[in-house]
Amino acid sequence: MVRNVLGGVLAVLGAAGAVASPFRPWYAARLGREYRLPDLFSSGGITAAHPNLLWSLFLPFLLAAALTLLGLLTRLRTPVLLAGVLALGFAVLWAVRAAQANGDSLTLAADGSGLRLGVAGAAGGGVLLLLAAGIMAGRVRRAPAPPPVPVPPPPASAGGPDEDDWRAPASYGPTGANGTYGSSRPGPYGGPEPEPTTPLPTIRPQDR
């Protein structure tokens, strides 16, 4: 948590310095937004033409700030790292092309006729973004939850009495005063279980 906060502060400072650098003088009195972005990749080198804002050095630093914001919102170090490489890379590329346009040399004069604060803001912002990416811990990955331990089923009773074994076996025979056959199995309330009975045949005297 502390690393993410410290890295976030450095990332914000670096992105702010990088995105504000095109509005400051880079060399002599020329602002960074007055350099054409295609001149850095053309064979003719840097020219005196003044482009619009989106085709100047402002575009790569704006992209660096957007990547920084994405990295802070998602707590990922990769976008912040790419933002630092982008800002520092374009600052170095400009320095190479500007040195070619000035006879392979760049001066640093106290009277403001050489390198100015705009270059320092772009390069320093890129360095801060790289440091922020190295300090940030990124997302904290939670350890996966352990799988549930299966609960073994209770052991079955080996030869023990079952629930139905407690009931007395049925016995059939004459049980009533009227000589009926029925079951003597105990019922649910202690008496005999009601079951259909068959009456004994009655032998009359005339049938003898």
Side-chain angles (χ1 to χ4, degrees), residues 53 92 96 107 160 165:
L53 185 61
V92 173
V96 172
T107 60
D165 295 341

Side-chain angles (χ1 to χ4, degrees), residues 17 25 53 56 60-61 63 68 89 98 102 120-121 129 136 174 181 183 189 193 199:
L53 185 61
S56 66
F61 297 110
L63 293 177
T68 303
N102 289 275
L129 288 173
M136 292 176 61
Y181 285 94
S183 172
Y189 300 102
E193 183 178 10

